[in-house]
Amino acid sequence: MMFTDAVTSEKSRLPLHSAPMTIPSHTPPPNRPFLQQEWRSFLLAIGFFTRIPVPDLPDFQEQELNLAAKYFPLVGIMVGAFAALAYMLSSTVLPQDIAVLLSMVATLLLTGAFHEDGLTDAVDGLGGGWEKEQVLHIMQDSRIGSYGAVSIVMALLLKFTALTHFSPLLVPAVLVAGHSVSRFCAVLVMATQRYVKYAGKSKPLATVMPFTHLGVAALPGLLPLLWLEPFWYLGLLPMVAVWVWFSLVIKKRIGGYTGDCLGAMQQLTEIAFYLGVLACMAI
């Protein structure tokens, strides 16, 4: 699962794709010089969200993922740039629809389908569960149910179809902006809701993202939007609507967010962004 909720306490090195995104903890990470800690947090964000090899991080503590959260949109720019590069290279010799498909394959390989997996788990839980604990239990199940299977197929089809309708010269900019702003939407969930975990009848502890961290995340999250025409900013309205709707859903159903919910939010807002900009272009 995305930001899987299974925690392995024995780990002392960077656990790629294996630790929860936020661990409610009152134990602060070790005190390190500012630049050293920021570089470490950036490497942690890269190693956690992608398959890019990063140096070993000794004395890793899972709550350090909270410090890395502000760099998730920056990682989104990297993923979007990789998709754009794959598109531009393949579009020189292949039709646009195939180039778009290859750009999507490139992102799936780079991230290990991390966010897509979160979408399937979240939809399975929300679609198949009634009570909070039942929803969380289904999310933890590694098997994909009918709700999850339908959601991932429809999500990939919507992305592919939307991107093929953009002008070939515009696709790279839209890819970078879509990947960055959608990850910022996931960070906004962390800043406005609390982390919940399946633990029987135990109550979840709240985690709070500092306002300064949210500001750091906003810069790379929103900066790529400057590449688009100002009129197309109206296309952000569907993305905002999806963010509000899904935030209310998870708040009502489970009282906060899980890692899978963040993955689902990233996928849903990325699709809404593409569709919104495309609709503005048609006006």
Side-chain angles (χ1 to χ4, degrees):
M1 293 183 207
M2 180 184 179
F3 323 126
T4 173
D5 297 320
V7 179
T8 306
S9 59
E10 301 84 19
K11 293 173 183 171
S12 59
R13 298 168 65 184
L14 177 63
L16 301 183
H17 293 74
S18 61
M21 182 175 184
T22 57
I23 300 295
S25 173
H26 300 290
T27 305
N31 230 357
R32 298 187 179 91
F34 176 76
L35 291 180
Q36 179 184 348
Q37 181 59 61
E38 293 307 304
W39 177 246
R40 182 183 174 96
S41 297
F42 177 59
L43 290 178
L44 179 58
I46 294 175
F48 190 70
F49 268 104
T50 72
R51 298 292 188 181
I52 299 175
V54 297
D56 293 337
L57 298 182
D59 303 320
F60 169 77
Q61 295 186 18
E62 285 152 347
Q63 57 265 37
E64 287 186 76
L65 289 169
N66 293 325
L67 301 177
K70 58 182 176 289
Y71 292 115
F72 294 160
L74 183 56
V75 174
I77 290 181
M78 297 171 60
V79 174
F82 186 71
L85 178 61
Y87 170 80
M88 289 186 293
L89 291 176
S90 57
S91 63
T92 59
V93 294
L94 295 170
Q96 182 182 0
D97 54 352
I98 298 179
V100 166
L101 186 59
L102 290 176
S103 74
M104 293 173 59
V105 171
T107 60
L108 292 173
L109 292 174
L110 186 65
T111 63
F114 206 23
H115 307 85
E116 289 79 4
D117 188 48
L119 174 65
T120 59
D121 288 335
V123 173
D124 269 337
L126 294 170
W130 292 96
E131 301 297 329
K132 172 184 173 180
E133 295 302 327
Q134 185 184 17
V135 172
L136 294 174
H137 180 74
I138 295 174
M139 285 186 187
Q140 281 195 320
D141 194 333
S142 60
R143 294 169 296 181
I144 297 179
S146 57
Y147 290 107
V150 170
S151 68
I152 191 60
V153 170
M154 296 305 298
L156 293 175
L157 280 175
L158 280 171
K159 284 186 195 180
F160 170 75
T161 307
L163 289 169
T164 56
H165 281 80
F166 283 105
S167 164
L169 295 178
L170 187 60
V171 171
V174 171
L175 282 170
V176 175
H179 279 279
S180 64
V181 73
S182 61
R183 282 164 175 79
F184 180 61
C185 287
V187 173
L188 281 176
V189 176
M190 297 175 60
T192 56
Q193 298 202 41
R194 62 179 182 176
Y195 177 84
V196 295
K197 184 178 179 181
Y198 177 71
K201 296 182 178 180
S202 63
K203 296 182 179 179
L205 298 175
T207 54
V208 179
M209 171 175 284
F211 181 76
T212 53
H213 288 199
L214 185 61
V216 172
L219 183 61
L222 302 177
L223 190 62
L225 295 177
L226 296 178
W227 295 344
L228 305 179
E229 294 288 340
F231 176 71
W232 296 347
Y233 292 165
L234 289 174
L236 296 176
L237 294 178
M239 185 188 70
V240 172
V242 168
W243 186 90
V244 172
W245 165 73
F246 193 65
S247 294
L248 292 175
V249 168
I250 60 177
K251 179 70 174 179
K252 179 180 179 181
R253 296 293 303 280
I254 61 176
Y257 70 90
T258 66
D260 290 324
C261 294
L262 297 178
M265 180 65 84
Q266 186 278 321
Q267 289 288 293
L268 293 173
T269 51
E270 181 186 352
I271 294 170
F273 172 77
Y274 296 149
L275 296 178
V277 175
L278 198 60
C280 284
M281 293 175 60
I283 296 177

